[in-house]
Amino acid sequence: MTNNKFEFVDKSSKLDNEQLRPSLTYWQDAWRRLRKNKLAMFGLVGVFVIVLFGIFGPAFTPYSYEDQELDFMNMPPKLDIHDLGDDLNFYLSREYRLILLNDDNEAVRRFDLIDKDIINKLYTYDFNNNKEVDDDDVIIDFSYKLNEEKRAEAGVDFSITYKGKEYFEFTDTVRNESYPWGTDQLGRDILTRVMYGARISLTVALVATLVNLLIGVTYGSIAGYEGGNTDNIMMRIVDIINSIPLVLYVILLMVLLNDSGLYTIILALGTVYWVNMARLVRGQVLGLKEQEYVLAARTMGVKKGKIILRHLIPNAMGPIIVSMTMMIPSAVFTESFLSFIGIGVSAPQASWGTLANDALGGLTSFPYQLFFPASAIAITMLAFNFLGDGLRDALDPRLRKG
Amino acid sequence: MRNYYIKRIISTILTLLLVATITFILMRSIPGGPFTREKFIPDEIIRILEEKYNLNDPPLKQYFDYMKGLVTFDLGPSFSLIGFKVEEMIASGFPLSAKIGGMASLLIIIVGIPVGIISALKQNRPIDYFVMFTATILVTVPSFVIATLIIYFFALRWGILPTFGNTAPLWYIGPVIALSGYSLSFVARLTRSSMLEVLRQDYVRTARANGLSEFKVIGKHALKNALIPVVTYIGPMVAAILTGSFVIEKIFALPGIGRYFVDSVGNRDYTVIMGMTVFYAAFYIVMVFIVDIIYSLIDPRIKIDG
Amino acid sequence: MKKILALLLSLTLVFSLVACGDKETETDDPAVFNWNIGADPKTLDPSLNGASDGGDVINNTFEGLVREFNGEVLPGIAESWEFSPDGKTITFHLRESKWSNGDPLTAHDFVYGWKHGMDPLSESEYSWLWEYTNVVGSFEAVNGESLDDVGIEATDDHTFVVQLKQPTDYFVSLTAFYHFMPLHKDSVEAVADGMWAKTPEHAVSNGPYMLTSYELGQGLTLEKNTNYWNADNVHIDTIDAKFIDEESTAYAAFQNGDLDYIPDVPPSEITRLIAEDEQYYVFPLLGTYYYSFNLDRELWQNDDLRKAFVLAIDREAIVEAVGGIATPATGVVPPGFTDHEGRDFYETAGAFGIETDDSQFDEARELLATAGYPNGEGFPTDLVLIYNTRDDHKLIAETVQQMWKENLGIEIEIQNMEWAVFQGTRKAGDFDISRGGWLTDYMDPSGMLSLFTSNNDYNDPNFYNDEYDQLMEDSMKATDKAVHFEKLYAAQEVFMEVLPIVPVYHYADDMYVKNYVKDWGRSVLGSVDFSRARIEK
């Protein structure tokens, strides 16, 4: 057969007639499919919003995460106010702190408690700030709260007396315009702290998850694929790492690094957290490697690495992604567990876990302090989970169309 | 096959020894000792205490002594609970931890797996969305928050459950729910995802094409493969849950062993740290071993002896 | 088949573990007193105990020579006592009384109990206390000298004689403290490591109650000791005690009526409870919370600088942030000590020019400028304040950090450390500023002030001052009460002139007790007393 029997095609006319639509790479295709999945997009947008919230949010609040205003501690997001005429709006806290609000419902200042009559349950607040008890002061009588009869008669818990007139009910419930999410026990803005908390929690979670993915998947797939003694030894190492007490390890790291902060926790989680992923992937690979297509690939002499990367891991993607999305809350929780037992990030920094933990003691009086950080965790987890589910479907090679 | 078991038993023992050794080294490298107190103990008494517990021996000798004790199941005396031996502490606390952990594990298995399967079979139907949403919600709240909320609402506010004291059967509800929340939703999601994966496999399609009933397709072909990752997760999970949880035991005021894992480190109670670690490790390794056996039972193609 | 096997295997695993039994607990008797002790006491042996939870139990199961009830020292096992003219010998006359098992209680049991406590072979962590008792030969015995040379003696079954190195005013009240109980020799020697006190069959005691059960980590039961000399005045039959260390759980149980007495409440509830609930009690606790400057550091040699730091915090605000029950501190000695003229030592000593509110910030800034750091300029930026991890320590450190930043323009870092690490670091002097706190062990201001003598182990600020040491030594040697207190007043003056610490507040002790529990008491050092308590529902 000679060359002239062939008709050479010009290099420039590479386009095939049959090709009816542009070719898509694997990732383009995955993205196309991800976009179709409403829940996943919802998750993606959610993750995006939360990340933005953490990065740029603090720029929009007048406070820093450590700014304290002790006079305004434990102020909830919704305030029951008492209007005493003359444009005087008061908020009386659960701890009997009397705070003056302006017309925009912003906290202005707190009145000093100058006289505390514990026996008759009369608290006198220095209204004109002259440090003396006089007629111009505000008197709170909360004997109603303790005396069932009196309480039933008046129908209130306490009364406020100002310039001789006794006021019984609060007049309005308004939004706290100074601190939209309220303040914590040191008068710090919870909104700002939750924003900063996002940075810490997300950093811990993302780093731990990435390390988890890289080490865990590689390690697990090698162990599962190799099998035999290699597998046995590798998995025993996993057992050892998994059995050593995390607390001991974290304390040692803190002492060695002389740092009781973020880096120690990231390092600790990073080095320990991949073991569950490794076991999971190994279990999957053990089953998958006996499948016909792997056998076929092996017979054709495809290299180990390629088999693992091209055949085994994509087929194990479902559990990997589920596990990964679950790893994110798990890392956030482990971090908060460490702060629960007292070896979390150093104050005044606070992760979501720390914020939730700090709020537990005051749950009965200040539930909002738990609500916001706990909701932040919950929303983030929901978003990551929806995104994870969508990603799993989108990355599944078998679902790939044309 | 027998060879495999022998090998596996030997490697288990080696692993345990290694765990003990590494823990021993870690434990001794962190500052502080078992007699660190707010108010210092007189030197003479420290000397006597150290002599009594052989803490003044060279570390290597202490290590070998400890290992010798370990082999004979003598875990030594606790430094922080004077007069108790570590094995007594485990014997006293483990039944309760295991009871609550056992109930939680059971709940996770009998609810988590079926829910995951149903959700997978009804993918993208309302029931699927409902189940997955609920599962996700459960996983989004840390267990210490769940536990505190249970006490606050169920015990304090509504008075449905007692606040403490494991005398009434009702009382177990709180700790079991708080303990199982995260894993329950993990198992449900893992089962669902793995099931979906398997349902797309060729052999399932073939089985369906062959006209097998849906029940047979699912029960006989799909399920066992789908369970591999689930079993992988459940094995160690059971070990972790049965040996108690620090958070749950603290909040529900339970005299289990979970709190020793954390407290012993704080107290530098060397023997308890070692005892608890080895106890947990042994538990864990046995569970992992069982998981490997279950693999080969589920899928005969998996040859665990390599 | 294999499939079934697999299923069985995994299920049996779970079931076999569920089947483990649990212990039977008796049904509640409505007459019992439900008490939450807090943590599981490390030991209940009076001679070994060094913790307040164990002390609370011992105060109700044992009785010493005297009993202290709400600050009043009452005859206990000793009916009366007299001092020798030089004040160095005290003779206690013991009443006829019995152990809970019916054995007669004699002065020899006190000799045994006390010597057991100081014998190093008993490994008592608390035996250092003997140094402050001034009992002849006692601290030497703790350090390994012969027990025979200790100046305590039973001259007959009902006479107990104590020799002191020097007259010690607080000695009699000290014998009410849990370390100074008589011990029943046969019981103590029956089981090693003080376990006798946790084993009902060996827990022979001489107080209003006796131990009838103990469950590790869970709780214990005390029952009325019918052999107690004053048993007619004991009104509670059974005390059902729990070890719940989570404040919010115990609080919920109290609100639900499952507990009648809890030792503390969640901090965020305090302010409200003070105002609204007469079941909530607050007592001063004889101790001080402070921060130590590390005087070994060159930086802190600057007097103006230290004073600026001391003045730049608003103590009232800090106290309010942690619940508002503590007393803002302007010195070392807390309220509650009485001097030779019956005045309160704290009030007489004054405030050393320190205000408790926010009125001295300007002065602080001026001092800082004088010290060479106007508005904090040029001040090192890598200063670290260390504290051991706990919620309240964190809260206080955060407030102080913020106050120094706002009022002095100085930014310091705060670092929490795990307890044992912190203890080691502080002891080694490896810090710039460190949290400190001290509760006195006996009813004399020297219990606080001796902390800062040059050779004291707890002198964290590394304060070495000859004048101070001399004054402290003179006060301890003084046979005249007036001289003793004069020297102590002078010593505190010297100390507060130098300001090696930032006093923050004086501790307070709180408890939540159902209003139907009457006549319960508390010792000044903080142990609860149910010897006369009644339940009137």
Side-chain angles (χ1 to χ4, degrees):
Chain A
M1 217 178 279
T2 52
N3 268 352
N4 55 18
K5 297 233 170 176
F6 289 92
E7 196 179 319
F8 288 97
V9 179
D10 186 51
K11 263 187 184 169
S12 59
S13 61
K14 227 181 158 187
L15 266 180
D16 190 27
N17 292 340
E18 286 173 29
Q19 199 156 351
L20 296 172
R21 54 182 182 184
S23 114
L24 292 170
T25 67
Y26 176 64
W27 294 106
Q28 281 173 320
D29 184 51
W31 170 237
R32 187 179 59 83
R33 275 182 294 142
L34 188 67
R35 254 186 343 211
K36 279 193 197 154
N37 186 333
K38 278 199 195 98
L39 268 185
M41 285 320 285
F42 180 73
L44 185 68
V45 171
V47 170
F48 204 64
V49 169
I50 290 156
V51 170
L52 289 181
F53 176 78
I55 297 177
F56 299 109
F60 294 97
T61 68
Y63 313 99
S64 126
Y65 67 96
E66 52 178 11
D67 283 348
Q68 300 167 10
E69 194 55 68
L70 291 173
D71 281 347
F72 301 144
M73 63 168 99
N74 293 329
M75 266 180 101
K78 287 244 187 263
L79 308 171
D80 295 336
I81 56 165
H82 306 265
D83 187 348
L84 304 191
D86 303 344
D87 280 339
L88 292 174
N89 289 320
F90 292 103
Y91 164 66
L92 180 67
S93 81
R94 281 196 62 126
E95 297 160 303
Y96 299 105
R97 261 189 286 276
L98 194 63
I99 289 160
L100 177 70
L101 303 178
N102 65 12
D103 290 345
D104 297 329
N105 299 322
E106 290 168 345
V108 179
R109 72 181 182 93
R110 169 193 172 188
F111 297 114
D112 286 337
L113 185 59
I114 44 169
D115 189 53
K116 225 175 174 175
D117 183 349
I118 298 270
I119 313 285
N120 298 313
K121 304 289 176 198
L122 290 173
Y123 279 14
T124 309
Y125 297 84
D126 191 10
F127 179 66
N128 47 14
N129 219 3
N130 61 0
K131 314 235 181 250
E132 275 169 37
V133 181
D134 50 33
D135 293 344
D136 207 19
D137 291 332
V138 178
I139 299 165
I140 303 212
D141 175 358
F142 53 95
S143 53
Y144 296 90
K145 198 156 193 166
L146 302 169
N147 187 331
E148 282 302 325
E149 262 174 52
K150 211 169 163 186
R151 185 179 179 177
E153 202 179 299
V156 289
D157 280 349
F158 56 85
S159 73
I160 298 183
T161 308
Y162 174 60
K163 289 190 171 166
K165 189 165 182 252
E166 197 169 7
Y167 299 81
F168 286 99
E169 266 161 56
F170 56 83
T171 41
D172 202 0
T173 303
V174 297
R175 276 177 39 202
N176 182 343
E177 297 293 345
S178 296
Y179 305 98
W181 288 9
T183 57
D184 72 357
Q185 54 215 2
L186 291 181
R188 292 174 293 202
D189 181 36
I190 289 181
L191 174 62
T192 313
R193 286 181 62 80
V194 171
M195 286 169 175
Y196 274 96
R199 295 185 181 181
I200 292 174
S201 290
L202 291 180
T203 314
V204 170
L206 292 178
V207 174
T209 308
L210 274 181
V211 173
N212 186 30
L213 189 69
L214 283 176
I215 306 184
V217 172
T218 321
Y219 194 97
S221 50
I222 292 175
Y225 188 79
E226 291 292 335
N229 280 336
T230 319
D231 174 38
N232 207 345
I233 292 171
M234 285 177 88
M235 291 326 284
R236 295 301 77 76
I237 294 175
V238 162
D239 293 347
I240 292 172
I241 295 178
N242 201 61
S243 302
I244 291 177
L246 180 68
V247 183
L248 201 63
Y249 182 69
V250 174
I251 293 175
L252 184 71
L253 278 181
M254 282 183 175
V255 174
L256 287 182
L257 304 177
N258 190 21
D259 169 71
S260 59
L262 196 55
Y263 302 112
T264 315
I265 288 166
I266 290 179
L267 194 66
L269 292 189
T271 38
V272 173
Y273 250 55
W274 54 269
V275 295
N276 285 326
M277 179 66 93
R279 298 188 63 257
L280 194 80
V281 173
R282 176 220 172 221
Q284 284 288 91
V285 170
L286 274 183
L288 291 172
K289 74 170 179 184
E290 309 294 344
Q291 300 259 357
E292 291 76 6
Y293 60 86
V294 179
L295 194 67
R298 222 188 287 177
T299 327
M300 291 193 306
V302 180
K303 286 206 186 94
K304 261 188 222 169
K306 209 170 174 187
I307 295 182
I308 292 177
L309 213 61
R310 281 292 168 81
H311 297 288
L312 297 178
I313 294 179
N315 277 299
M317 219 52 195
I320 290 177
I321 288 180
V322 168
S323 172
M324 224 177 78
T325 50
M326 300 294 281
M327 241 7 119
I328 293 174
S330 174
V332 171
F333 294 170
T334 307
E335 190 278 324
S336 64
F337 165 72
L338 291 177
S339 61
F340 182 80
I341 62 171
I343 44 180
V345 291
S346 11
Q349 289 188 329
S351 66
W352 286 340
T354 324
L355 291 174
N357 184 31
D358 287 350
L360 285 184
L363 183 63
T364 24
S365 297
F366 316 108
Y368 68 94
Q369 292 180 353
L370 177 64
F371 177 79
F372 290 106
S375 308
I377 298 180
I379 291 168
T380 311
M381 297 318 145
L382 270 179
F384 272 107
N385 280 303
F386 288 148
L387 180 62
D389 282 353
L391 272 181
R392 191 208 46 234
D393 291 342
L395 295 179
D396 190 332
R398 280 180 305 265
L399 288 181
R400 199 173 174 204
K401 291 172 198 129
Chain B
M1 206 59 181
R2 179 191 281 165
N3 259 345
Y4 171 75
Y5 287 115
I6 294 173
K7 242 171 50 191
R8 193 65 192 257
I9 288 167
I10 294 172
S11 79
T12 298
I13 294 170
L14 280 178
T15 312
L16 278 180
L17 288 180
L18 266 173
V19 168
T21 310
I22 296 173
T23 309
F24 190 90
I25 297 169
L26 280 183
M27 172 178 93
R28 293 305 179 95
S29 358
I30 58 175
F35 308 119
T36 308
R37 295 284 181 276
E38 177 99 45
K39 297 192 174 173
F40 304 114
I41 305 173
D43 292 346
E44 177 68 11
I45 288 162
I46 293 270
R47 198 184 58 76
I48 289 173
L49 282 168
E50 288 190 338
E51 197 165 305
K52 176 173 171 187
Y53 297 115
N54 298 322
L55 289 172
N56 49 0
D57 287 342
L60 210 61
K61 181 169 183 307
Q62 289 183 44
Y63 169 73
F64 283 113
D65 286 346
Y66 184 80
M67 287 302 180
K68 230 183 277 168
L70 197 59
V71 175
T72 55
F73 297 103
D74 173 12
L75 301 177
S78 161
F79 296 114
S80 60
L81 270 164
I82 312 171
F84 283 96
K85 303 197 90 186
V86 178
E87 51 267 36
E88 285 170 355
M89 290 164 70
I90 294 177
S92 146
F94 182 60
L96 181 63
S97 293
K99 192 171 179 180
I100 289 164
M103 287 194 262
S105 304
L106 210 59
L107 185 73
I108 292 164
I109 294 168
I110 61 177
V111 175
I113 295 179
V115 157
I117 295 172
I118 293 170
S119 188
L121 294 179
K122 308 276 175 201
Q123 194 193 3
N124 297 336
R125 308 253 186 88
I127 178 123
D128 177 32
Y129 287 132
F130 173 75
V131 164
M132 282 306 113
F133 195 80
T134 320
T136 315
I137 289 287
L138 260 183
V139 78
T140 52
V141 190
S143 61
F144 65 82
V145 176
I146 297 188
T148 313
L149 290 177
I150 288 177
I151 291 198
Y152 179 64
F153 285 107
F154 289 85
L156 189 57
R157 271 291 192 62
W158 304 327
I160 307 172
L161 302 176
T163 40
F164 71 91
N166 46 327
T167 43
L170 259 185
W171 175 87
Y172 289 99
I173 293 174
V176 168
I177 290 178
L179 192 57
S180 54
Y182 177 83
S183 296
L184 178 60
S185 96
F186 198 148
V187 165
R189 296 176 57 87
L190 201 60
T191 310
R192 172 180 180 270
S193 146
S194 174
M195 195 73 195
L196 285 176
E197 198 92 20
V198 169
L199 286 178
R200 292 185 203 122
Q201 298 279 355
D202 296 337
Y203 61 82
V204 175
R205 202 179 302 162
T206 316
R208 279 196 179 133
N210 281 344
L212 285 180
S213 71
E214 191 63 16
F215 184 77
K216 258 195 163 168
V217 172
I218 306 297
K220 201 168 176 194
H221 296 273
L223 189 57
K224 59 181 188 182
N225 279 309
L227 283 185
I228 289 183
V230 181
V231 169
T232 315
Y233 175 76
I234 288 181
M237 175 209 82
V238 169
I241 286 186
L242 290 183
T243 46
S245 146
F246 174 80
V247 174
I248 304 294
E249 290 181 7
K250 192 166 154 61
I251 293 180
F252 287 100
L254 286 167
I257 54 169
R259 49 174 52 211
Y260 295 143
F261 284 99
V262 175
D263 288 346
S264 64
V265 179
N267 294 329
R268 301 293 187 271
D269 195 342
Y270 291 149
T271 45
V272 180
I273 299 177
M274 293 297 287
M276 296 311 295
T277 307
V278 173
F279 180 71
Y280 167 70
F283 220 118
Y284 168 84
I285 291 170
V286 169
M287 289 308 301
V288 167
F289 192 14
I290 291 173
V291 167
D292 278 355
I293 295 172
I294 294 177
Y295 279 165
S296 65
L297 294 178
I298 293 180
D299 187 345
R301 283 174 310 184
I302 297 180
K303 292 178 290 242
I304 52 171
D305 48 345
Chain C
M1 190 57 210
K2 272 188 173 178
K3 197 167 57 194
I4 299 170
L5 195 69
L7 191 70
L8 279 180
L9 201 55
S10 34
L11 281 183
T12 40
L13 246 168
V14 174
F15 275 119
S16 59
L17 291 157
V18 177
C20 294
D22 73 331
K23 286 148 206 143
E24 297 271 317
T25 323
E26 296 140 314
T27 47
D28 276 355
D29 183 335
V32 298
F33 170 57
N34 295 299
W35 173 28
N36 179 33
I37 297 176
D40 187 348
K42 217 170 136 173
T43 176
L44 296 176
D45 180 337
S47 61
L48 300 186
N49 179 57
S52 62
D53 41 30
D56 284 345
V57 178
I58 292 164
N59 202 27
N60 291 296
T61 51
F62 281 85
E63 180 151 307
L65 294 167
V66 299
R67 178 170 282 277
E68 192 228 289
F69 195 88
N70 294 344
E72 199 183 343
V73 177
L74 304 164
I77 299 301
E79 271 174 317
S80 62
W81 53 91
E82 71 238 0
F83 291 85
S84 66
D86 66 355
K88 289 189 185 176
T89 307
I90 313 177
T91 310
F92 291 92
H93 301 288
L94 274 51
R95 67 177 83 241
E96 288 285 344
S97 65
K98 283 179 180 163
W99 287 102
S100 55
N101 65 353
D103 288 356
L105 171 66
T106 68
H108 300 283
D109 296 324
F110 276 95
V111 175
Y112 174 74
W114 288 23
K115 287 193 176 173
H116 187 74
M118 46 184 109
D119 185 352
L121 291 173
S122 313
E123 300 151 7
S124 171
E125 293 175 5
Y126 217 52
S127 54
W128 51 262
L129 187 61
W130 287 101
E131 183 180 355
Y132 302 101
T133 61
N134 293 332
V135 172
V136 169
S138 60
F139 195 59
E140 288 76 3
V142 169
N143 286 306
E145 302 286 316
S146 167
L147 284 168
D148 299 335
D149 301 337
V150 178
I152 54 173
E153 192 189 359
T155 50
D156 63 51
D157 278 0
H158 296 99
T159 313
F160 181 66
V161 182
V162 181
Q163 309 284 347
L164 301 175
K165 284 188 281 196
Q166 64 209 54
T168 308
D169 200 39
Y170 51 80
F171 185 82
V172 173
S173 69
L174 191 63
T175 64
F177 196 56
Y178 52 72
H179 194 70
F180 303 94
M181 298 297 152
L183 293 180
H184 188 260
K185 192 174 176 197
D186 295 345
S187 311
V188 173
E189 287 172 1
V191 199
D193 294 322
M195 272 302 282
W196 62 272
K198 284 187 176 178
T199 329
E201 63 265 38
H202 296 297
V204 176
S205 60
N206 74 330
Y209 302 94
M210 56 187 192
L211 181 96
T212 51
S213 81
Y214 169 84
E215 298 273 1
L216 180 63
Q218 191 166 358
L220 54 83
T221 317
L222 302 180
E223 264 165 45
K224 179 177 172 174
N225 172 11
T226 47
N227 284 315
Y228 176 54
W229 69 270
N230 201 8
D232 290 348
N233 291 317
V234 177
H235 305 291
I236 290 174
D237 295 313
T238 308
I239 296 179
D240 194 354
K242 299 280 178 236
F243 308 141
I244 303 175
D245 58 356
E246 182 68 20
E247 280 167 0
S248 31
T249 306
Y251 181 73
F254 182 90
Q255 299 286 19
N256 261 10
D258 295 332
L259 291 171
D260 301 326
Y261 180 108
I262 56 175
D264 35 34
V265 300
S268 53
E269 302 298 320
I270 293 175
T271 329
R272 199 175 52 77
L273 290 177
I274 294 176
E276 294 173 5
D277 201 334
E278 77 276 19
Q279 300 185 113
Y280 180 69
Y281 297 84
V282 177
F283 294 94
L285 200 56
L286 301 179
T288 305
Y289 190 107
Y290 56 88
Y291 288 105
S292 303
F293 298 113
N294 184 356
L295 297 186
D296 281 355
R297 300 265 150 108
E298 180 84 41
L299 176 77
W300 296 122
Q301 296 295 338
N302 190 328
D303 291 349
D304 294 325
L305 181 64
R306 288 195 311 275
K307 185 147 195 194
F309 271 72
V310 171
L311 297 185
I313 63 171
D314 179 351
R315 291 167 178 75
E316 285 174 16
I318 295 174
V319 165
E320 196 177 3
V322 290
I325 55 174
T327 313
T330 53
V332 181
V333 180
F337 294 105
T338 336
D339 70 4
H340 56 290
E341 287 177 2
R343 297 170 302 184
D344 188 273
F345 191 95
Y346 158 86
E347 288 188 0
T348 316
F352 307 100
I354 300 172
E355 297 292 333
T356 54
D357 58 8
D358 54 2
S359 55
Q360 286 175 310
F361 293 167
D362 288 332
E363 196 183 337
R365 274 187 285 271
E366 281 161 28
L367 281 164
L368 188 69
T370 323
Y373 308 101
N375 302 318
E377 283 156 32
F379 195 81
T381 50
D382 55 351
L383 228 56
V384 182
L385 177 151
I386 61 168
Y387 64 97
N388 56 310
T389 311
R390 232 179 68 168
D391 287 351
D392 50 349
H393 299 334
K394 177 169 104 174
L395 222 57
I396 297 166
E398 284 176 326
T399 351
V400 167
Q401 179 192 37
Q402 183 71 13
M403 286 172 177
W404 282 336
K405 183 179 162 188
E406 273 178 16
N407 304 328
L408 298 179
I410 286 175
E411 292 204 35
I412 57 155
E413 193 188 318
I414 58 176
Q415 191 182 4
N416 63 314
M417 289 181 171
E418 194 252 355
W419 161 246
V421 178
F422 170 76
Q423 181 83 332
T425 313
R426 187 172 65 175
K427 181 86 177 80
D430 190 13
F431 65 88
D432 301 312
I433 303 173
S434 156
R435 186 199 81 81
W438 191 260
L439 293 172
T440 186
D441 296 294
Y442 51 92
M443 285 306 295
D444 187 82
S446 65
M448 296 300 299
L449 291 168
S450 61
L451 208 61
F452 301 105
T453 51
S454 298
N455 53 3
N456 194 294
D457 279 341
Y458 309 97
N459 184 353
D460 297 323
N462 299 314
F463 169 68
Y464 307 121
N465 184 305
D466 294 337
E467 192 187 354
Y468 185 80
D469 290 351
Q470 191 59 48
L471 284 166
M472 287 307 293
E473 200 185 323
D474 291 350
S475 84
M476 296 316 280
K477 280 192 179 148
T479 47
D480 183 1
K481 268 191 189 178
V483 180
H484 173 75
F485 282 102
E486 231 166 71
K487 299 283 179 189
L488 288 179
Y489 279 122
Q492 190 172 216
E493 289 281 349
V494 170
F495 186 81
M496 291 307 290
E497 188 60 38
V498 181
L499 282 178
I501 63 167
V502 183
V504 181
Y505 63 71
H506 301 302
Y507 290 102
D509 192 12
D510 60 337
M511 58 214 61
Y512 205 13
V513 191
K514 290 282 182 197
N515 50 15
Y516 51 73
V517 183
K518 312 278 186 200
D519 286 340
W520 54 276
R522 178 183 171 280
S523 79
V524 178
L525 294 176
S527 296
V528 289
D529 192 327
F530 302 122
S531 61
R532 309 172 185 178
R534 284 172 298 123
I535 292 181
E536 288 178 0
K537 281 196 192 177

